[in-house]
Amino acid sequence: MLDEAVKILHEITDNGYMAYIVGGYVRDYLLGIESNDIDITTNATPMELQEIFKDNIIKTTDYGSITVMVKNIRYEITTFRKEIKYTDHRKPEEIEYVNDLYTDLNRRDFTINSICMDENKEIFDFLNGKEDLNRRLINTIGSASERFEEDALRILRAVRFATTLDFKLSDEVRSAILEKKNLLKDLSYERKKEELDKIFASPNVNNGIELLLELGLDKPLELEKLKDIKNTDSLISVWAMLDVLDIYPFTNAEKELIEGINAVLELDNMDPYTLFKYGLYVNSIAGAIKGLDKKAITEKYDNLAIKSRDDIIVSAQDIMDILGKEPGKYISDIYSDLEQKILYDKINNNKEEIENYIKDNY
Ligand code: ATP
Ligand code: MG
């Protein structure tokens, strides 16, 4: 992966520009952690980058950054900049492209995210990022309260990095968070959710939740139920327990899972129909929240007589033939009835038995 990234740097520098890998990739590389995307910083402007990468560009943004996809790796290439005006503690209103790396590094959030690497894999660490990496410490570049005032998302990013890397917040960062945490209220829920997703998806999620609570971020983030969360090991189960479907933005797939989990929390997890209706994944998550044994749930699920309506051995045509009737809603009613009878072992999923049952009852 690094060799590919070096090739990308060369493509830029061969055109007479400067280019460095920066941010998450270098930080994780020095920590021996794998990364899945690479941020590059350069003095080439987006227009100039478009000339260089042409067909490989998958995204351009209006804040001077392009994304290139090569061999399934995403490279986000951003032009050296200075951020001028911040409105509402959100994204900068104006940016100005600059020609030197040092200025660009200074607008970044944390020292550990400012280390860069050139095309010879040489590391440049102008802002003492390595020292903080070694001390496993989250420190802002410059005054923490000023940096949080400029962009309050950095508060959440600090907690995110402390969680995913298992680092500590510096004393200055911690007190600036306590001082500025109410600014989180002004941020968009989309941006907050992206960082919260990373905290909740981390293997270190329980420490992350503890840190959010310790700093009192549950209130400004409107996560009232955060303090009730018990040991958890999945992103979606945290969101389900938080019960914030009406506040934060979720995809339809996420919504469906969360609603399923909440429904199963009220039901008997080991009930065959519950297992059948909601499936193994949702049942396992709801089971974990209740502290049930995952193996027992899986075993019970594996032994269900049917796992979906399609597993019922008679077809809709069979049902019509048995009753000598035209198609109608009654078919679906019969299927619902059969599901129950088969799942509760009242009848077997056997053609003759089902045929007799239908003849006797419909
Ligand atoms: P990840 O491993 O999640 O990619 P990352 O540190 O690379 O972590 P990105 O969101 O990809 O985070 O951002 C890339 C770099 O851009 C960061 O390392 C940091 O230098 C800078 N950056 C990102 N967001 C901000 C921000 N809100 N304020 C200042 N600098 C930022
Ligand atoms: Mg990154």
Side-chain angles (χ1 to χ4, degrees):
M1 183 165 177
L2 182 53
D3 291 330
E4 275 304 319
V6 163
K7 270 193 219 156
I8 302 259
L9 293 181
H10 270 296
E11 288 193 54
I12 307 175
T13 56
D14 287 351
N15 281 280
Y17 304 104
M18 296 178 260
Y20 303 86
I21 307 174
V22 68
Y25 181 83
V26 185
R27 178 194 70 223
D28 293 348
Y29 171 82
L30 293 171
L31 290 169
I33 305 173
E34 235 178 87
S35 283
N36 30 27
D37 52 21
I38 296 187
D39 301 290
I40 289 174
T41 186
T42 176
N43 62 341
T45 63
M47 290 274 267
E48 291 162 338
L49 291 166
Q50 293 206 17
E51 273 303 300
I52 300 174
F53 292 105
K54 297 190 178 89
D55 295 344
N56 286 325
I57 296 175
I58 55 167
K59 197 171 121 196
T60 55
T61 63
D62 49 11
Y63 52 89
S65 149
I66 67 157
T67 306
V68 173
M69 185 80 137
V70 183
K71 295 195 182 157
N72 260 334
I73 297 167
R74 290 160 45 96
Y75 299 88
E76 191 169 334
I77 312 178
T78 309
T79 308
F80 291 167
R81 87 253 328 265
K82 188 154 110 184
E83 282 156 7
I84 304 177
K85 237 163 80 200
Y86 285 83
T87 13
D88 292 352
H89 331 287
R90 295 178 197 208
K91 290 210 157 161
E93 196 171 73
E94 257 177 64
I95 53 165
E96 178 186 319
Y97 295 143
V98 295
N99 219 343
D100 74 301
L101 173 64
Y102 186 73
T103 306
D104 180 76
L105 296 179
N106 267 293
R107 59 106 187 158
R108 292 174 182 273
D109 48 9
F110 305 109
T111 57
I112 57 166
N113 288 344
S114 72
I115 311 171
C116 36
M117 187 193 275
D118 72 2
E119 60 199 352
N120 302 311
K121 302 185 189 172
E122 196 176 327
I123 298 283
F124 296 87
D125 178 25
F126 299 118
L127 303 172
N128 297 327
K130 268 194 192 168
E131 194 181 317
D132 286 329
L133 267 192
N134 292 333
R135 295 191 294 182
R136 304 182 76 78
L137 214 53
I138 308 293
N139 248 317
T140 46
I141 295 169
S143 146
S145 3
E146 279 173 30
R147 303 310 307 281
F148 294 156
E149 181 85 31
E150 282 170 358
D151 179 4
L153 191 73
R154 293 172 186 151
I155 294 175
L156 214 44
R157 286 176 60 87
V159 176
R160 190 252 281 195
F161 291 120
T163 305
T164 57
L165 302 172
D166 199 14
F167 275 31
K168 293 264 176 293
L169 303 175
S170 73
D171 290 340
E172 192 201 345
V173 164
R174 181 175 283 268
S175 41
I177 290 180
L178 294 175
E179 180 196 341
K180 301 288 180 190
K181 62 186 171 193
N182 281 327
L183 298 179
L184 286 170
K185 289 184 192 157
D186 301 334
L187 295 177
S188 76
Y189 291 101
E190 284 80 9
R191 289 183 87 202
K192 288 188 275 204
K193 178 157 182 292
E194 274 179 34
E195 294 299 329
L196 288 168
D197 274 339
K198 290 180 179 164
I199 296 173
F200 298 157
S202 163
N204 199 24
V205 48
N206 292 308
N207 287 337
I209 291 175
E210 209 171 290
L211 185 56
L212 287 168
L213 288 170
E214 202 182 295
L215 296 165
L217 301 189
D218 49 335
K219 275 254 165 60
L221 290 171
E222 297 161 81
L223 303 175
E224 315 268 317
K225 296 191 173 164
L226 194 69
K227 54 186 177 314
D228 305 326
I229 292 185
K230 296 171 218 84
N231 282 350
T232 172
D233 59 0
S234 99
L235 167 66
I236 206 74
S237 85
V238 178
W239 283 120
M241 287 187 269
L242 286 172
D243 192 15
V244 285
L245 272 181
D246 50 340
I247 307 181
Y248 281 83
F250 292 91
T251 63
N252 286 337
E254 286 174 326
K255 268 186 208 154
E256 201 178 304
L257 283 173
I258 291 171
E259 280 163 0
I261 293 164
N262 285 329
V264 174
L265 282 176
E266 305 289 315
L267 299 167
D268 172 7
N269 243 191
M270 296 299 261
D271 174 77
Y273 189 70
T274 306
L275 286 161
F276 169 86
K277 182 165 176 206
Y278 294 97
L280 182 58
Y281 184 63
V282 163
N283 270 283
S284 304
I285 292 176
I289 295 174
K290 292 184 202 168
L292 299 176
D293 179 25
K294 182 165 180 192
K295 232 173 87 195
I297 296 175
T298 310
E299 221 162 84
K300 185 104 188 176
Y301 179 81
D302 286 343
N303 288 326
L304 290 179
I306 48 171
K307 301 230 167 50
S308 88
R309 184 167 284 192
D310 292 341
D311 292 342
I312 298 180
I313 203 136
V314 296
S315 66
Q317 186 61 53
D318 292 337
I319 297 178
M320 289 188 281
D321 289 348
I322 296 166
L323 297 175
K325 279 170 122 177
E326 295 296 302
K329 188 193 162 287
Y330 73 95
I331 295 180
S332 159
D333 294 340
I334 292 180
Y335 269 128
S336 302
D337 181 24
L338 289 174
E339 281 170 3
Q340 301 267 351
K341 294 288 182 303
I342 296 170
L343 284 163
Y344 292 112
D345 292 329
K346 299 280 188 284
I347 54 176
N348 290 309
N349 188 20
N350 158 300
K351 206 153 187 173
E352 215 181 296
E353 248 182 77
I354 296 178
E355 230 177 85
N356 288 333
Y357 175 80
I358 294 176
K359 276 187 197 144
D360 292 348
N361 292 275
Y362 289 93

